[in-house]
Amino acid sequence: MQILHAPSSPYLTFHNSKSQSREGLLSAEKSFLHSINTSVQCQRHARPIWFSHNRSILSSNSAKAASVEAGASAVSTGASENDVLKALSQIIDPDFGTDIVSCGFVKDMLIDEASGEVSFRLELTTPACPIKDMFEQRANEVVAALPWVKKVNVTMSAQPARPVFTGQLPAGLQTISNIVAVSSCKGGVGKSTIAVNLAYTLAGMGARVGIFDADVYGPSLPTMVSPENRLLEMNPEKRTIIPTEYLGVKLVSFGFAGQGRAIMRGPMVSGVINQLLTTTEWGELDYLVIDMPPGTGDIQLTLCQVVPLTAAVIVTTPQKLAFIDVAKGVRMFSKLKVPCVAVVENMCHFDADGRRYYPFGRGSGSQVVQQFGIPHLFDLPIRPTLSASGDSGMPEVVADPLGEVSRTFQDLGVCVVQQCAKIRQQVSTAVRYDKSIKAIRVKVPDSKEEFLLHPATVRRNDRSAQSVDEWTGEQKLQYTDVSEDIEPEEIRPMGNYAVSITWPDGFSQIAPYDQLETMERLVDVPRPIPAQA
């Protein structure tokens, strides 16, 4: 066994052995999974399916995408193509109430009128869509119902994983669509159990998933999963970390670094977390689940600042003490503009003698939901198998995919996918430049109001050190320095709290939503400028 010391890795050492396989299952696990008809696939676009889904969950974050890709060749008249698109527009996205043509899901259409054959591809925004079979069936039905159609060929695909914003991200995070934090801010409430089972639920729904165990002092992941290769490897040429895998899910934990639990001060821990997270070759992931450590200190703030968290799932238990700590975590996420999309109340109850008992009382989870306006609450029972699965190295949703606990995690997975899709859609369209009226349109996430800002007003309100003296508060950028007809070159999201605006002079302005809401708004909106022929 060779231990390599990475030149750019001051905190960690990694095992480097290319002879060991990073994929595969133990023979006993193969036999067990075969007995429950489990299909485990580790291909790039085919993920493990452990249980069937009957829930409606189609996420859409690109309502303005073109309904048919440019350049696709088609032997047809415009009328034939319109007939097909009109038929497909009968299929409605259940979450957003928009048809699949307007959502831009229809791609690569080919029509051969001579033979009556129609071919096209439905490209979903996420592979974690349990009703994709229904969409395929409905697409076949509505197109085949056209009188001139003799044969329909429908293929299904998903968009490549990509974040809403890429400009400010480390290279290792630029092909991850959604980063979901699972947090409790209190130890011992089963947060790691929730994080691991949620990750494997998302993988079972068809998504490409990774888990990052952010607890350096007490990593739980090595106990809860059983990868064949239990040591992280390092690519000596790229100086990047290669994650280990178990059942198709990529795993990174300090516990897999071959150094056990850390004994170090906060700043060093933050450095380790940063190194592990940003230098890992995650590849294309639809969801990266981060198992947050307890507390609201340096590590948590580092994670929230280093990565653009899409959403957070809060874990609590029925006790009042748990609620007090969880409330601090929710407030932390609120200040960092990370939406909390669900609350999981763990160890709620157990059934015995035909009755349901609540040994720790009731109300902590619902209190979090009511006080902070978090829309979804899930409760988990006290179940010996759930605890045992965490110790055995096989998550409960894999060991018993049709059980009560797995059904609850299935509901949680559906919620996470739906909410992440809505958040991505809101963030991607929150601030945009409307060239036809020469105004910046702003619709802050979770707000129904849209308002207009003059580009020059936004530029003059920059509060960075380049525009305002940090010591004296003196305004360095003068009113006349900004032309009235200035237009932004690019507007892109930065996390869930701000946008980055690039101006013609090369300046990149960070404009938080809170600041945009306080600026003077346009009232007399100019008429749209007609497009030139």
Side-chain angles (χ1 to χ4, degrees), residues 215-498:
D215 194 344
V216 172
Y217 292 119
S220 303
L221 200 57
T223 304
M224 305 191 73
V225 294
S226 304
E228 190 173 274
N229 182 11
R230 299 186 62 83
L231 286 174
L232 296 174
E233 298 179 7
M234 195 194 75
N235 185 326
E237 296 177 359
K238 297 181 180 179
R239 297 179 179 179
T240 54
I241 300 168
I242 302 173
T244 187
E245 288 192 20
Y246 178 60
L247 299 179
V249 175
K250 296 183 179 181
L251 313 168
V252 171
S253 170
F254 187 76
F256 291 137
Q259 301 181 36
R261 297 167 184 251
I263 302 175
M264 60 181 74
R265 294 186 182 275
M268 289 187 66
V269 173
S270 297
V272 169
I273 291 293
N274 197 340
Q275 178 191 348
L276 284 172
L277 183 58
T278 61
T279 63
T280 293
E281 294 182 14
W282 290 108
E284 287 195 359
L285 293 182
D286 300 296
Y287 302 93
L288 175 61
V289 177
I290 298 184
D291 181 8
M292 299 280 283
T296 54
D298 289 344
I299 300 174
Q300 289 76 15
L301 293 175
T302 296
L303 283 168
C304 292
Q305 291 168 354
V306 168
V307 300
L309 296 176
T310 308
V313 173
I314 305 300
V315 182
T316 186
T317 52
Q319 297 96 326
K320 181 179 179 180
L321 186 60
F323 167 77
I324 294 172
D325 285 344
V326 165
K328 292 189 295 185
V330 175
R331 292 189 184 99
M332 176 190 72
F333 285 123
S334 177
K335 289 182 179 179
L336 296 169
K337 305 298 182 183
V338 177
C340 296
V341 297
V343 175
V344 179
E345 189 170 14
N346 195 20
M347 297 179 282
C348 281
H349 54 75
F350 67 90
D351 297 328
D353 303 325
R355 294 180 56 192
R356 176 157 289 184
Y357 297 89
Y358 296 85
F360 303 119
R362 303 176 68 175
S364 175
S366 57
Q367 192 175 356
V368 175
V369 169
Q370 294 169 8
Q371 182 166 330
F372 297 101
I374 301 174
H376 303 283
L377 173 64
F378 303 89
D379 59 73
L380 287 169
I382 300 173
R383 191 64 60 83
T385 55
L386 183 58
S387 175
S389 66
D391 297 334
S392 67
M394 180 176 288
E396 174 75 358
V397 297
V398 179
D400 185 15
L402 301 178
E404 178 188 357
V405 170
S406 293
R407 289 195 297 271
T408 301
F409 276 108
Q410 177 183 339
D411 293 339
L412 175 62
V414 167
C415 170
V416 168
V417 173
Q418 287 177 325
Q419 295 301 313
C420 284
K422 291 179 182 179
I423 291 167
R424 285 173 61 86
Q425 184 187 42
Q426 291 173 345
V427 169
S428 62
T429 59
V431 182
R432 56 192 177 88
Y433 182 60
D434 189 335
K435 198 173 184 65
S436 65
I437 59 175
K438 293 186 176 294
I440 295 176
R441 293 185 178 273
V442 182
K443 187 177 181 181
V444 175
D446 296 327
S447 172
K448 296 181 180 180
E449 177 191 14
E450 181 182 70
F451 56 90
L452 303 177
L453 298 175
H454 195 289
T457 300
V458 176
R459 178 67 179 89
R460 289 171 180 140
N461 277 273
D462 176 54
R463 306 303 298 169
S464 69
Q466 188 167 334
S467 302
V468 180
D469 190 290
E470 293 183 282
W471 294 101
T472 65
E474 179 185 354
Q475 187 73 35
K476 295 161 63 177
L477 178 69
Q478 301 302 314
Y479 188 93
T480 54
D481 293 339
V482 178
S483 172
E484 281 295 322
D485 60 357
I486 191 171
E487 296 183 64
E489 290 188 343
E490 182 184 16
I491 300 178
R492 62 178 184 272
M494 283 198 64
N496 297 306
Y497 72 96

Side-chain angles (χ1 to χ4, degrees), residues 74-77 80 110-118 147-151:
V75 185
S76 68
T77 64
S80 299
L110 291 169
I111 301 176
D112 189 337
E113 290 183 340
S115 64
E117 184 173 348
V118 179
W148 56 270
V149 174
K150 306 299 182 185
K151 184 179 180 182

